[in-house]
């Protein structure tokens, strides 16, 4: 076996990483990807021509290092991850290592527990299928500017209540999916049900009805921190359901 340390992946290594990522995602039923962008430091463990395990590290500000690791499902729990971790530790010094893992992957949880990594926080991916049932709250005084319509770019929408600005949010339309983020309600207007009013669902449902040249929008996705209980409660009331939980561990 040999370990390759590199900051520049060649075409053959990229192909091997793609095959490794595909095998892991299929086995674990996760959507995590292996980062290959500029600025990464890579450690690749080969057995002859077969890539058994790979490690990616990005050194950030505040003495932290973001890490991703994939190991071939048939070759796990044989110390391959540990060998690559030891190589990284030779260079990371006192830097905290931050690992991203999908909670549904038992092998990743076992490995992180084995090295003594501690859970730092969680991020939940939530989904709303369109058309969605209205929450049933009065929405007559709530309007949006601009009016919702599918568009490619990131667009800021303002919420108006009784013709006065009350908050805002962002939408990104990509084919049949719309990404929802950055919901903000003015502090003086919070806890009044503005975020859960039927108007938002009604407008999203309206956006799902395509123009002849558009694809129909079938779902809304958002990501929310596991520590943000008010936001979690709000999105549940709107009908969003959990689809994936990503956990951040520190070592």
């Amino acid at each position: 076996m040999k370990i390759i340390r590199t900051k520049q992946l060649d075409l053959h290594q990229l192909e091997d990483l793609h095959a490794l990522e595909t095998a892991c995602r299929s086995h674990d039923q996760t959507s995590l990807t292996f980062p290959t962008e500029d600025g990464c430091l890579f450690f690749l463990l080969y057995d002859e021509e077969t890539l058994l395990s790979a490690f990616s590290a990005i050194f950030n500000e505040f003495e932290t290092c973001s890490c991703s690791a994939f190991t071939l499902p048939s070759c796990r729990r044989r110390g391959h991850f540990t060998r690559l971790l030891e190589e990284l530790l030779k260079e990371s010094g006192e830097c905290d290592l931050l690992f991203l893992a999908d909670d549904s992957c038992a092998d990743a949880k076992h490995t992180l527990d084995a090295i003594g990594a501690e859970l730092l926080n969680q991020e939940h991916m939530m989904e709303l299928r369109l058309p969605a049932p209205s929450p049933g709250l009065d929405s007559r005084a709530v309007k949006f500017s601009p009016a919702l319509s599918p568009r490619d770019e990131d667009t800021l929408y303002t919420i108006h209540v009784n013709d006065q600005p009350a908050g805002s949010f962002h939408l990104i339309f990509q084919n049949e999916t719309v990404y929802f983020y950055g919901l903000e309600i003015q502090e003086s207007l919070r806890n009044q049900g503005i975020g859960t009013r039927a108007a938002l669902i009604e407008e999203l449902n309206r956006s799902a009805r395509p123009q002849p040249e558009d694809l129909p929008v079938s779902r809304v996705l958002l990501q929310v921190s596991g520590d943000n209980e008010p936001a979690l409660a709000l999105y549940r009331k709107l009908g969003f359901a959990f689809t994936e939980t990503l956990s951040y561990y520190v070592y």
Side-chain angles (χ1 to χ4, degrees):
M1 293 186 185
K2 64 178 179 180
I3 294 176
I4 297 175
R5 177 199 180 278
T6 182
K7 291 185 177 180
Q8 186 67 46
L9 298 167
D10 61 30
L11 181 59
H12 177 69
Q13 291 165 346
L14 282 169
E15 291 174 348
D16 289 342
L17 280 169
H18 177 69
L20 175 62
E21 177 188 282
T22 300
C24 290
R25 290 177 59 164
S26 176
H27 178 272
D28 301 324
Q29 296 297 298
T30 65
S31 61
L32 291 178
T33 58
F34 189 88
T36 57
E37 62 264 24
D38 293 340
C40 292
L41 174 61
F42 305 98
F43 295 92
L44 311 175
L45 178 62
Y46 276 91
D47 183 9
E48 297 182 352
E49 297 300 314
T50 303
L51 180 60
L52 303 181
S53 187
F55 215 105
S56 172
I58 303 176
F59 290 90
N60 310 310
E61 296 179 323
F62 311 114
E63 297 185 345
T64 62
C65 177
S66 299
C67 303
S68 296
F70 282 48
T71 298
L72 204 62
S74 61
C75 298
R76 293 175 180 173
R77 304 197 184 188
R78 300 182 186 179
H80 300 328
F81 172 89
T82 302
R83 288 185 62 182
L84 296 184
L85 176 61
E86 289 172 350
E87 292 298 316
L88 175 61
L89 290 174
K90 294 176 183 177
E91 306 188 30
S92 62
E94 298 299 318
C95 191
D96 285 336
L97 306 184
L98 303 178
F99 292 92
L100 176 62
D102 189 315
D103 266 11
S104 66
C105 180
D107 287 343
K109 182 70 165 59
H110 175 272
T111 299
L112 292 167
D113 286 344
I115 66 173
E118 298 181 359
L119 180 63
L120 184 63
N121 57 48
Q122 292 181 315
E123 293 285 335
H124 300 292
M125 184 67 75
M126 302 183 76
E127 177 185 78
L128 176 69
R129 284 286 176 177
L130 298 178
S134 168
L137 300 177
D138 182 14
S139 62
R140 287 172 295 178
V142 182
K143 297 180 180 179
F144 302 93
S145 177
L148 298 192
S149 60
R151 54 188 71 201
D152 294 331
E153 68 273 16
D154 183 344
T155 304
L156 173 67
Y157 294 86
T158 302
I159 304 171
H160 295 269
V161 176
N162 297 324
D163 295 323
Q164 297 298 315
S168 62
F169 58 90
H170 289 257
L171 292 181
I172 303 176
F173 285 88
Q174 292 185 359
N175 298 325
E176 78 282 1
T177 300
V178 59
Y179 295 89
F180 179 99
Y181 74 95
L183 175 64
E184 293 285 345
I185 303 297
Q186 290 187 17
E187 188 171 356
S188 62
L189 297 175
R190 293 174 186 171
N191 301 315
Q192 297 181 27
I194 292 172
T196 57
R197 290 192 184 255
L200 178 56
I201 299 300
E202 290 171 359
E203 288 293 316
L204 288 172
N205 284 336
R206 194 172 296 120
S207 74
R209 303 180 192 124
Q211 299 296 321
E213 69 276 10
D214 295 327
L215 290 173
V217 175
S218 62
R219 64 176 184 164
V220 184
L221 292 180
L222 62 84
Q223 190 167 332
V224 59
S225 171
D227 297 330
N228 193 341
E229 287 296 336
L232 285 169
L234 167 61
Y235 296 135
R236 287 194 193 100
K237 287 181 180 178
L238 286 172
F240 283 84
F242 292 112
T243 60
E244 186 178 48
T245 296
L246 301 179
S247 297
Y248 293 84
Y249 290 83
V250 60
Y251 176 75

